[in-house]
Amino acid sequence: MDNRAIGVFDSGVGGLTVLKEIKKVLPNENYIYIGDTASFPYGSKSKQTIIELSKKHIQKLISLDVKMIVIACGTATSQALDEVKKIFDIPILGIINPTIEYLKKENLKRIGVIATTGTIRSKGWQNSLQREINDVTVFSKACPLLAPMAEEGWTENEIANLTIKEYLKDIKDIDALILGCTHYPLFEKLIKNELGDNTEIVNTGKMVANEIKKYIKQNNLQNAIEKNLTEIYLTDTECNFIQVAQKILNLENINIKKIE
């Protein structure tokens, strides 16, 4: 047993879509979430900058005595995960590998990926898919406007609808679409309306949640004390985070702490 919290970080509010899914399958765990709202967005930053930011958040979470860390960010996973796993002696999980394993098991061959510009540029999803799934065809599309819109809470209005239509107009006849940025599940309804019922929308948070549940059980790391605490830290509190977070986590009151 291990009563320490699970640490989660993202560039902003998007990682809460991952935290939401983890809390569904592990409701008795404690969580510490860092949203790097001062450095948002990550998608336009260099790989080295993403690595340095990720290292800082991991160091902070380790100082807060977490038992494992989830990089709930597509950009940070694709560009920093391999590097930080070499540096830190703590279990660190990103959003790519658990999702690839699911797609491999389901034998899906025509796969679309939408993500930030940095993630698509890194070819993290494309390389992993082609390495792990035989005869896969990957359709990648950078959608840089979606994460900022999600941070503003613009996920169901006409602007969001038109933006989704524009980004997805060339992605047709696919088996599955990976939401390669953790902000994008907030647009899932609009995306599904655009692509239809024959395309599976892959929410990476669900894949990560199942992987964490398995890891916690296999390593006997379950929380034995029923506190169920969720602490949220932001690097900048002058933002729209709280309103969007309340909607994602279905909470009326969220206590936010500021960190450097």
Side-chain angles (χ1 to χ4, degrees), residues 139 141 165-172:
F139 305 87
K141 179 71 175 180
K165 284 181 178 295
E166 180 64 25
Y167 279 144
L168 298 183
K169 67 181 181 181
D170 298 324
I171 299 181
K172 305 295 181 183

Side-chain angles (χ1 to χ4, degrees), residues 6 24-25 27 39 46 53 55 72 77 97 103 107 119 127 135 153 170 172-173 189 197 202 215 230 238 240 242 253:
I6 296 172
K24 283 181 184 177
V25 299
S39 301
S46 69
L53 289 169
K55 284 164 60 177
T77 297
N97 288 343
L103 295 167
N107 196 34
T119 299
N127 291 339
D135 302 321
D170 298 324
K172 305 295 181 183
D173 190 28
K189 181 179 177 181
D197 294 333
V202 182
Y215 183 89
T230 299
E238 297 298 319
N240 200 42
I242 293 177
N253 297 307

Side-chain angles (χ1 to χ4, degrees), residues 113-121 140-145 167 171 184:
V113 181
I114 56 173
T116 65
T117 301
T119 299
I120 297 300
R121 185 175 59 237
S140 299
K141 179 71 175 180
C143 304
L145 293 179
Y167 279 144
I171 299 181
Y184 295 2

Side-chain angles (χ1 to χ4, degrees), residues 108-168:
L108 300 173
K109 298 293 187 179
R110 294 178 59 83
I111 299 171
V113 181
I114 56 173
T116 65
T117 301
T119 299
I120 297 300
R121 185 175 59 237
S122 75
K123 295 187 176 180
W125 282 104
Q126 181 177 331
N127 291 339
S128 296
L129 286 163
Q130 291 174 340
R131 184 173 59 248
E132 297 294 331
I133 303 176
N134 293 331
D135 302 321
V136 70
T137 302
V138 183
F139 305 87
S140 299
K141 179 71 175 180
C143 304
L145 293 179
L146 294 186
M149 288 169 63
E151 292 283 327
E152 289 297 321
W154 290 14
T155 56
E156 296 179 352
N157 60 18
E158 187 58 24
I159 295 173
N161 188 41
L162 292 172
T163 305
I164 292 295
K165 284 181 178 295
E166 180 64 25
Y167 279 144
L168 298 183

Side-chain angles (χ1 to χ4, degrees), residues 8-254:
V8 183
F9 80 86
D10 179 43
S11 61
V13 78
L16 291 181
T17 64
V18 177
L19 179 60
K20 176 183 177 181
E21 299 300 333
I22 301 172
K23 287 168 69 74
K24 283 181 184 177
V25 299
L26 291 170
N28 295 326
E29 295 293 331
N30 300 313
Y31 300 93
I32 297 176
Y33 182 92
I34 293 178
D36 190 9
T37 43
S39 301
F40 178 86
Y42 278 10
S44 58
K45 291 179 169 55
S46 69
K47 179 175 181 177
Q48 194 55 45
T49 298
I50 300 300
I51 291 172
E52 292 304 316
L53 289 169
S54 298
K55 284 164 60 177
K56 288 180 181 179
H57 303 321
I58 291 169
Q59 287 167 344
K60 180 62 179 179
L61 287 168
I62 290 174
S63 75
L64 293 170
D65 196 27
V66 298
K67 59 187 174 186
M68 68 179 299
I69 293 172
V70 181
I71 302 181
C73 172
T75 304
T77 297
S78 65
Q79 304 201 46
L81 178 62
D82 291 342
E83 294 299 320
V84 297
K85 287 180 77 170
K86 296 174 187 175
I87 299 170
F88 298 101
D89 186 23
I90 186 173
I92 304 174
L93 185 69
I95 69 169
I96 293 180
N97 288 343
T99 306
I100 300 294
E101 286 302 310
Y102 168 79
L103 295 167
K104 187 176 179 180
K105 183 177 67 175
E106 294 296 311
N107 196 34
L108 300 173
K109 298 293 187 179
R110 294 178 59 83
I111 299 171
V113 181
I114 56 173
T116 65
T117 301
T119 299
I120 297 300
R121 185 175 59 237
S122 75
K123 295 187 176 180
W125 282 104
Q126 181 177 331
N127 291 339
S128 296
L129 286 163
Q130 291 174 340
R131 184 173 59 248
E132 297 294 331
I133 303 176
N134 293 331
D135 302 321
V136 70
T137 302
V138 183
F139 305 87
S140 299
K141 179 71 175 180
C143 304
L145 293 179
L146 294 186
M149 288 169 63
E151 292 283 327
E152 289 297 321
W154 290 14
T155 56
E156 296 179 352
N157 60 18
E158 187 58 24
I159 295 173
N161 188 41
L162 292 172
T163 305
I164 292 295
K165 284 181 178 295
E166 180 64 25
Y167 279 144
L168 298 183
K169 67 181 181 181
D170 298 324
I171 299 181
K172 305 295 181 183
D173 190 28
I174 55 175
D175 299 321
L177 180 72
I178 299 170
L179 306 182
C181 169
T182 54
H183 287 77
Y184 295 2
L186 298 173
F187 301 92
E188 188 167 348
K189 181 179 177 181
L190 296 180
I191 292 170
K192 194 160 189 65
N193 287 342
E194 188 64 21
L195 293 180
D197 294 333
N198 293 328
T199 300
E200 180 175 355
I201 309 302
V202 182
N203 181 344
T204 58
K206 294 179 180 179
M207 312 305 153
V208 173
N210 291 332
E211 187 71 14
I212 293 171
K213 181 180 180 180
K214 183 169 67 175
Y215 183 89
I216 292 286
K217 184 176 181 180
Q218 287 176 344
N219 293 277
N220 196 30
L221 295 175
Q222 297 94 331
N223 177 33
I225 302 175
E226 293 188 8
K227 286 185 179 179
N228 307 330
L229 298 177
T230 299
E231 298 179 68
I232 297 179
Y233 295 83
L234 300 181
T235 53
D236 185 357
T237 55
E238 297 298 319
C239 58
N240 200 42
F241 184 96
I242 293 177
Q243 290 86 343
V244 182
Q246 287 173 331
K247 184 176 180 180
I248 295 172
L249 298 178
N250 196 27
L251 296 173
E252 290 186 6
N253 297 307
I254 296 178

